[in-house]
Amino acid sequence: MLELYHNDMSVCAQKVRLALAEKGLSYTGHHMNLRSGEQKKPDYVKLNPKGVVPTLVHDGFVVCESVIINEYIEDAFEGTALMPGNAQGRARVRHWTKQIDDSIFGATATVSVSVAFHHQYTPELIEEQVRFRGPSYRQMVEAFRKGVDNPAFPAAIRRMDKMLGDMDKALEDGPWLLGQQFTLADVAYASYVTRLDHLKFLGMLDHRPRAAGWYERMRSRKTYQEALAAWFNPKYLPLMEEKGNEAWPRVKALLAAAD
């Protein structure tokens, strides 16, 4: 039995749902309302001490951290191989996925909240989160409310831009990040490029035709439609579009200045 604790728009949950779909696996889903703090409730924290999503439970065995979950899915179940059959190829996949944990996830959070999500933070929600996370959360929200002027924003958007540049270069060798084989590297990056799409920042792909082609191929996959598109939250998309369009001229100028 497979159970997945997840959230519709969480980039980490999206990539786990995509891995499950690529393997053709069904699961019992438990959707967590992150805004209301369901992920911080004691029963869930017993499963995932960090109080984050996703969490996979397989016959009572609990797996946390999306990169580990996806490798577990690959190791534990038959179906389409999502890792290369040789050590060098597996190391290349892990090179891609480690970058997400090291810096891309944090950059995505900074960009997303600075541009759009902070507009959803009511005073009541902020106070609730302060109780969960401590007083420093209040200062962090104040920084996010500066939008593109958040001191952390320029480095974050440049990191996302570097991600796309690295992808474009890698795609010289084939349709997917490791060449001809679709792997967990592609699974991992789908949600991060999607986030840029939802923020209307795909102008970052204008001079990266290979990465743009990769995204089109990704979106055309049935598994993407099942695991990501079917879960897109209509309460989020208009806000991301509106605020992303407003921010794009400044973002474009920041990236041009970095060049």
Side-chain angles (χ1 to χ4, degrees), residues 114 118 140-151 153 250:
S114 296
H118 76 267
M140 185 171 65
V141 171
E142 290 306 312
F144 287 142
R145 282 184 166 155
K146 295 178 181 178
V148 179
D149 293 319
N150 175 358
F153 187 89
R250 294 282 309 281

Side-chain angles (χ1 to χ4, degrees), residues 230-245:
W231 287 92
F232 292 159
N233 190 328
K235 293 181 180 179
Y236 284 64
L237 298 184
L239 175 66
M240 286 192 281
E241 179 175 359
E242 175 191 354
K243 299 304 179 182
N245 280 326

Side-chain angles (χ1 to χ4, degrees), residues 159-212:
R159 182 62 187 92
M160 300 301 291
D161 192 57
K162 181 181 185 302
M163 175 191 81
L164 296 176
D166 291 344
M167 293 174 68
D168 197 68
K169 181 173 176 55
L171 290 160
E172 292 176 355
D173 298 327
W176 304 111
L177 292 176
L178 263 71
Q180 297 302 314
Q181 183 183 0
F182 182 91
T183 70
L184 287 178
D186 301 289
V187 168
Y189 279 72
S191 55
Y192 294 91
V193 182
T194 296
R195 177 58 55 84
L196 292 173
D197 185 4
H198 287 166
L199 289 169
K200 301 304 171 185
F201 289 174
L202 284 191
M204 295 163 70
L205 289 177
D206 285 350
H207 57 295
R208 290 161 174 151
R210 290 182 293 270

Side-chain angles (χ1 to χ4, degrees), residues 2-14 17 27-41 44 47 52-56 195 226-236:
L2 275 174
E3 296 179 83
L4 180 67
Y5 294 80
H6 65 118
N7 171 266
D8 46 17
M9 297 296 287
S10 158
V11 288
C12 295
Q14 286 173 342
R17 290 198 304 265
Y27 60 90
T28 298
H30 306 281
H31 185 266
M32 310 291 288
N33 186 329
L34 305 184
R35 288 287 186 268
S36 68
E38 284 185 354
Q39 75 281 16
K40 300 297 183 182
K41 291 183 176 179
Y44 182 70
L47 292 176
V52 297
V53 295
T55 300
L56 185 75
R195 177 58 55 84
E226 294 172 351
L228 275 78
W231 287 92
F232 292 159
N233 190 328
K235 293 181 180 179
Y236 284 64

Side-chain angles (χ1 to χ4, degrees), residues 61 71 89 93 110 128 130 136 139 158 167 196 211 220 245:
F61 181 70
E71 289 206 24
V93 169
T110 296
E128 186 176 8
V130 167
S136 62
Q139 286 72 43
R158 286 195 294 268
M167 293 174 68
L196 292 173
S220 71
N245 280 326

